[in-house]
Amino acid sequence: MPHPSYVHGASAIPLIGLPIGRYFADACRRYADRPALIVPYQHVRWTYAELAEQVDRLACSLIRLGLQPGERVGIWSQNNSEWVLAQFATARAGLVLVNINPAYRRAELEYALNKVGCAALIVSPGFKSSDYLDMLYDLAPEWKNGTPGRLSSARLPSVRLVIRLGDSTSRGMLNFSALLTGPADGEREALETLNERIQFDDPVNIQFTSGTTGSPKGATLSHHNILNNGFFVAEAMRLTADDRLCIPVPLYHCFGMVLGNLACLTHGAAMVYPSEGFDPLAVLETVERERCTALHGVPTMFIGILDHPEFDEYDLASLRTGIMAGSPCPTEVMRRVVDDMHMREVTIVYGMTETSPGSFQSQTDTPEARRVSTVGLVHPHVEVKIVDGDGGIVPRGETGELLTRGYSVMLGYWGDEAKTREAIDVAGWMHTGDLAVIDDEGYCTIVGRVKDMVIRGGENIYPREIEEFLYRHPAVQDVQVIGVPDARLGEELCAWIKLRPAQTISEDDIRDFCRGQIAHYKIPRYIEFVDSFPMTITGKIQKYMMRDAMKEKLGLDG
């Protein structure tokens, strides 16, 4: 057969064979006097030596409270300095950090805590319109009369310890700040002894996937998974201890805690949090004031920054690199990021939570044509193959499902062997569900999701191709294309379009723009002008919600 669609990331740089806690301590000594964490809205400016001291104080307190290696500790909070302390302190203490989505409500929180059996929960009082404490007391009213550290409740039976952020006190809960006092005699030595016993293949983090059907699954990641991924992501960006990375993406997701925090740790760069949640103006202000050299974001975030009315008032010349990931990047948006935001070395990362997350990444010197049309080359120490519906490897240039294998593949879904076996086959390949093409030079293009591919009258249509074309219309700010049921053709195309401010065009204008430029069967039958798209807190578009909305609006079955 022609050259097969199989690539592997050969590398002279070995994988890191240490658990995160030991690596963290070494890195903090190596970069002791360098800036580590900058959180302007909390007045936090810590060097790596100061970060290490805070982390070890928290780790010693968690052990003193009776938490045992391997137990799960949930964190339900927006971005802040406490989040990063919890990330590294739990790793130092041999605990498993469980990331709770800040958008979760009562039922989702109850499910997550019980699914993995959290023994402790670190919680913010609230975020945006969510009152977290109120939701917790509603689920566990017994805590109001409980003893801190020895809680019990009918609906959250595994949780015995709740640690709240902020200066106020809450019944049954301990205060986070109280756990940052100096360790007692012998506790530091005991912490170091414990760190010698932790293995790099031990679980260190559980992240719940935002799946479109059924209950979320807890992707269980090891020290080896995420520490190495953070390192090699930073290598591709050429991060150094002179860099300052602005991190407006959520820490509860791999983008923030791995591609952000761990990438910085492994190279001595500074982590900079501009705000508790994404705020384009805060990003602009922080990049200028802190002279950030790198910036992370999903495409919708970059669009929000570029289109902010005060964009031209800020000096972003310090920017050099960063990552755009989370969903496919429109070509025009990438060009504006490079030209208008000075991010000439910005990289694209492709991956998923279950692969820690990165599998492909462009380099800082990837040619522009490749950077705007592909997700780069396979990561070091990672294998990828593209297969057809029967599992056979397809030739280069053909479309199929992307499978990946290597150090980055998760340990499995917590407490769900059946779902794990569905995702990871007997040969160790993670089935991503993404449609992709690998060209003769090894560059990968993500075409779409297997489930998002539209089959119209026997023609396979990839929404990404149509989205890229519609982005060229000067009035279009953002666009998403989906398939909806059709009695005659099986499926028809529907485009949701967000217009630029002060722009007014019609459905016929869009269709006229398409005619003669793309095949007739790729011209959307349905066009919906919208103000926003349904999306997860990490900026991923939820196309299944768009499909459901259109089926209801149009009275379609199937």
Side-chain angles (χ1 to χ4, degrees), residues 387-392:
V387 302
D388 59 25
D390 297 322

Side-chain angles (χ1 to χ4, degrees), residues 470-496:
L470 292 176
Y471 273 117
R472 300 178 192 173
H473 195 292
V476 172
Q477 183 184 74
D478 206 352
V479 58
Q480 298 294 324
V481 173
I482 58 173
V484 296
D486 183 80
R488 185 171 67 89
L489 297 170
E491 286 186 286
E492 268 287 10
L493 289 173
C494 173
W496 279 31

Side-chain angles (χ1 to χ4, degrees), residues 370-529:
R370 295 289 194 187
R371 198 183 312 176
V372 299
S373 62
T374 77
V375 292
L377 300 170
V378 68
H379 248 240
H381 303 287
V382 171
E383 295 178 275
V384 166
K385 64 179 180 179
I386 308 297
V387 302
D388 59 25
D390 297 322
I393 299 178
V394 303
R396 294 283 178 106
E398 289 193 12
T399 299
E401 183 184 5
L402 190 154
L403 277 58
T404 184
R405 181 169 68 177
Y407 79 86
S408 59
V409 175
M410 67 174 179
L411 298 177
Y413 293 119
W414 187 276
D416 201 331
E417 292 186 11
K419 291 293 185 184
T420 300
R421 287 195 299 271
E422 287 178 17
I424 305 172
D425 64 27
V426 293
W429 290 100
M430 176 76 206
H431 293 243
T432 69
D434 286 321
L435 292 166
V437 178
I438 293 178
D439 67 20
D440 288 335
E441 295 180 55
Y443 285 91
C444 179
T445 299
I446 303 301
V447 178
R449 295 285 292 167
V450 171
K451 66 178 183 297
D452 286 342
M453 184 178 72
V454 178
I455 304 177
R456 179 190 183 276
E459 295 279 2
N460 290 351
I461 304 173
Y462 304 109
R464 172 79 189 277
E465 177 189 357
I466 302 165
E467 291 164 358
E468 286 287 351
F469 174 76
L470 292 176
Y471 273 117
R472 300 178 192 173
H473 195 292
V476 172
Q477 183 184 74
D478 206 352
V479 58
Q480 298 294 324
V481 173
I482 58 173
V484 296
D486 183 80
R488 185 171 67 89
L489 297 170
E491 286 186 286
E492 268 287 10
L493 289 173
C494 173
W496 279 31
I497 296 174
K498 181 180 179 182
L499 297 176
R500 295 190 180 280
Q503 294 290 326
T504 303
I505 59 173
S506 68
E507 296 178 23
D508 286 340
D509 291 332
I510 292 293
R511 295 191 183 96
D512 289 342
F513 180 74
C514 295
R515 288 190 182 99
Q517 301 295 321
I518 59 176
H520 71 90
Y521 62 85
K522 297 179 182 178
I523 300 175
R525 177 177 176 182
Y526 305 106
I527 296 171
E528 190 83 355
F529 293 105

Side-chain angles (χ1 to χ4, degrees), residues 75-344:
I75 181 164
W76 195 25
S77 172
Q78 64 272 46
N79 287 11
N80 47 44
S81 61
E82 293 90 345
W83 213 108
V84 71
L85 293 183
Q87 177 180 351
F88 291 120
T90 50
R92 292 276 285 161
L95 302 165
V96 181
L97 187 70
V98 181
N99 301 5
I100 307 295
N101 189 327
Y104 273 7
R105 295 297 186 265
R106 290 169 180 80
E108 297 156 317
L109 174 68
E110 181 180 8
Y111 171 84
L113 294 176
N114 289 333
K115 176 65 177 178
V116 302
C118 280
L121 175 65
I122 298 170
V123 60
S124 166
F127 181 50
K128 295 183 177 177
S129 62
S130 296
D131 187 327
Y132 294 162
L133 299 179
D134 183 65
M135 282 188 262
L136 281 171
Y137 283 135
D138 185 55
L139 285 171
E142 303 97 322
W143 292 354
K144 292 181 179 179
N145 298 311
T147 302
R150 296 201 300 272
L151 299 175
S152 64
S153 69
R155 294 178 67 177
L156 301 174
S158 64
V159 180
R160 63 179 186 270
L161 171 66
V162 177
I163 302 164
R164 61 150 292 162
L165 309 186
D167 296 328
S168 299
T169 58
S170 297
R171 287 180 289 174
M173 302 181 187
L174 298 176
N175 278 70
F176 190 95
S177 57
L179 306 186
L180 298 179
T181 55
D185 290 344
E187 287 188 338
R188 291 185 190 273
E189 293 77 6
L191 180 63
E192 295 304 330
T193 299
L194 171 61
N195 269 258
E196 293 297 322
R197 299 201 306 268
I198 298 169
Q199 300 300 302
F200 64 68
D201 283 327
D202 290 342
V204 72
N205 183 226
I206 297 174
Q207 300 198 27
F208 285 94
T209 61
S210 56
T212 59
T213 59
S215 299
K217 301 182 292 291
T220 307
L221 303 170
S222 70
H223 296 256
H224 201 59
N225 286 153
I226 61 176
L227 179 59
N228 280 288
N229 208 254
F231 174 84
F232 283 107
V233 160
E235 284 286 288
M237 289 191 290
R238 298 181 183 173
L239 278 192
T240 73
D242 292 325
D243 281 303
R244 293 185 172 203
L245 172 59
C246 184
I247 307 174
V249 294
L251 297 178
Y252 94 90
H253 188 262
C254 268
F255 201 166
M257 70 169 288
V258 179
L259 308 190
N261 292 350
L262 286 175
C264 287
L265 172 73
T266 56
H267 288 69
M271 301 166 272
V272 183
Y273 304 155
S275 52
E276 294 182 326
F278 175 65
D279 177 347
L281 183 58
V283 172
L284 291 167
E285 292 172 343
T286 302
V287 168
E288 180 183 81
R289 182 175 59 247
E290 303 297 339
R291 308 310 297 159
C292 293
T293 59
L295 171 64
H296 285 357
V298 299
T300 52
M301 289 181 176
F302 281 102
I303 290 170
I305 294 167
L306 287 161
D307 289 346
H308 193 279
E310 298 178 36
F311 176 81
D312 292 333
E313 298 178 20
Y314 289 89
D315 178 6
L316 308 182
S318 61
L319 286 175
R320 170 183 68 84
T321 187
I323 291 172
M324 190 183 298
S327 61
C329 172
T331 300
E332 293 305 314
V333 174
M334 171 60 78
R335 291 195 171 123
R336 292 178 66 198
V337 167
V338 170
D339 294 339
D340 300 343
M341 297 182 69
H342 310 285
M343 295 176 64
R344 293 176 180 83

